[in-house]
Amino acid sequence: MEKYLKKEELVSMEQRKRTTLINSVTGFKSLNLIATINKTLQANVAIFNSVIHLGADPALMGFIVRPDSVARHTLTNILETGFFTINHVNFYIYKNSHQTSARYPQEVSEFDACNLTADYKNDFPAPYVKESIIQIGLQFRERIKIELNGTNLVIGEIQQLYFPEEYWREDGYLDIEKAATMAGSGLDGYHITGLKERLRYAKATSEEV
Amino acid sequence: MEKYLKKEELVSMEQRKRTTLINSVTGFKSLNLIATINKTLQANVAIFNSVIHLGADPALMGFIVRPDSVARHTLTNILETGFFTINHVNFYIYKNSHQTSARYPQEVSEFDACNLTADYKNDFPAPYVKESIIQIGLQFRERIKIELNGTNLVIGEIQQLYFPEEYWREDGYLDIEKAATMAGSGLDGYHITGLKERLRYAKATSEEV
């Protein structure tokens, strides 16, 4: 049975129910841990489901953060230090990763509270998450304020990249499924994936599908 | 074996290989068909893997489009008419959906070329994709230019929402996996998913994980 909701019905829906529904309708989401340090070198890590690809040349990634959210220290630290890391959430750490969304006192590092390990390597000025199999080090490039609802798009440029060589294909494709990377749905759904297929570059002259 | 790539190695990598790699490292992506019409009522539909949730109140969604890309008519049409629809790519239409990324002549509608059906309903001024199981009608709100690489973040507000009622849970969660929604990887990977679990709202007082 098809359900049809108009804007007016969405607006009048109980707030948490609406938030959960609207968070479901974008489709599947990336799940990443973003790690930073503050001026006093205290490490912070928080889960984000809004990391997106912005471009390959320069190699830019972005994510959305709300200044009043639990994850606000991520933004503060990035603006303070200019660096952050993005680390894929995988099958072995999805519970730990989810737990980073709890509201810990500022003096508590989520690394300790959630049983994750801060990994400092190759002189990068932000910690990686050791348990993550695909890790990306970025330099902060721009913060774009979205006035419509007070959120921010934070953009960084890739400086370092770590991944298992055996999952890297000849054409550049990295098989993130093999690295146990998970996909998210709504605010709290954690999914494993099964590759159906990789499709060839589409041409207008292809046979009709 | 862990592969470590520095920025300098990324910059010097063959362009298509770098693009494919950088597109893989964000994690899983949403897969959606965005449908529009132009002033002469010709329908357009194109696949996007950058749709994200921006906020629930107001209900805002965004996506990234490059003005010189194959999908540039999507942006032109949205600026012309003020409306667009977002339709989940599912298991039954992923090949048709992928085919919309081909560079068709402007007078050809991808709906016809890719064997998809434009569905006009409830007076909405943009077509839905009939074969899509979860469909969202949006009004254009803002276009934010990202000067770093010339892309655009296009933001719309949800006006209409269609989904199977039997997949809607009491708390508002919509089980998109049950609706055969797929997840994307890289530029061409199509994945089905398996829900591992939905986790409870995380509290700082929870037992250690």
Side-chain angles (χ1 to χ4, degrees), chain B residues 7 31 36 38 45 51 99 114 167 172 192:
Chain B
K7 180 181 169 182
L31 292 173
T36 54
N38 65 16
V45 59
V51 170
Q99 186 60 31
C114 304
Y167 304 147
I192 56 170

Side-chain angles (χ1 to χ4, degrees), chain A residues 162-169 173-174, chain B residues 1-4:
Chain A
Y162 302 87
F163 55 85
E165 187 152 25
E166 63 268 35
Y167 304 147
W168 196 27
R169 308 294 168 233
Y173 179 80
L174 182 60
Chain B
M1 200 41 203
E2 186 175 74
K3 180 80 179 170
Y4 166 40

Side-chain angles (χ1 to χ4, degrees), chain A residues 57-113:
Chain A
D57 186 18
L60 299 177
M61 298 171 73
F63 68 98
I64 302 292
V65 64
R66 191 180 282 270
D68 60 355
S69 73
V70 176
R72 66 195 179 283
H73 297 137
T74 300
L75 178 59
T76 314
N77 290 354
I78 291 173
L79 297 176
E80 243 176 55
T81 68
F83 291 91
F84 59 107
T85 70
I86 293 179
N87 308 268
H88 284 207
V89 171
N90 64 52
F91 185 77
Y92 309 103
I93 54 165
Y94 74 93
K95 290 183 183 178
N96 314 59
S97 301
H98 184 75
Q99 186 61 32
T100 64
S101 62
R103 196 176 283 271
Y104 291 102
Q106 186 160 11
E107 68 275 14
V108 174
S109 167
E110 298 84 4
F111 276 107
D112 300 330

Side-chain angles (χ1 to χ4, degrees), chain B residues 63-124:
Chain B
F63 68 97
I64 302 292
V65 64
R66 192 180 283 268
D68 60 355
S69 73
V70 176
R72 67 194 179 284
H73 297 137
T74 299
L75 178 59
T76 315
N77 290 354
I78 291 173
L79 297 175
E80 243 177 55
T81 68
F83 291 91
F84 59 107
T85 71
I86 294 179
N87 309 266
H88 284 207
V89 171
N90 63 52
F91 185 77
Y92 310 103
I93 54 165
Y94 74 94
K95 289 183 183 177
N96 314 59
S97 302
H98 184 76
Q99 186 60 31
T100 65
S101 62
R103 196 176 284 270
Y104 290 103
Q106 186 160 12
E107 68 276 13
V108 173
S109 167
E110 299 84 3
F111 276 106
D112 300 330
C114 304
N115 206 15
L116 293 165
T117 314
D119 192 9
Y120 295 88
K121 56 186 179 184
N122 290 311
D123 298 321
F124 199 71

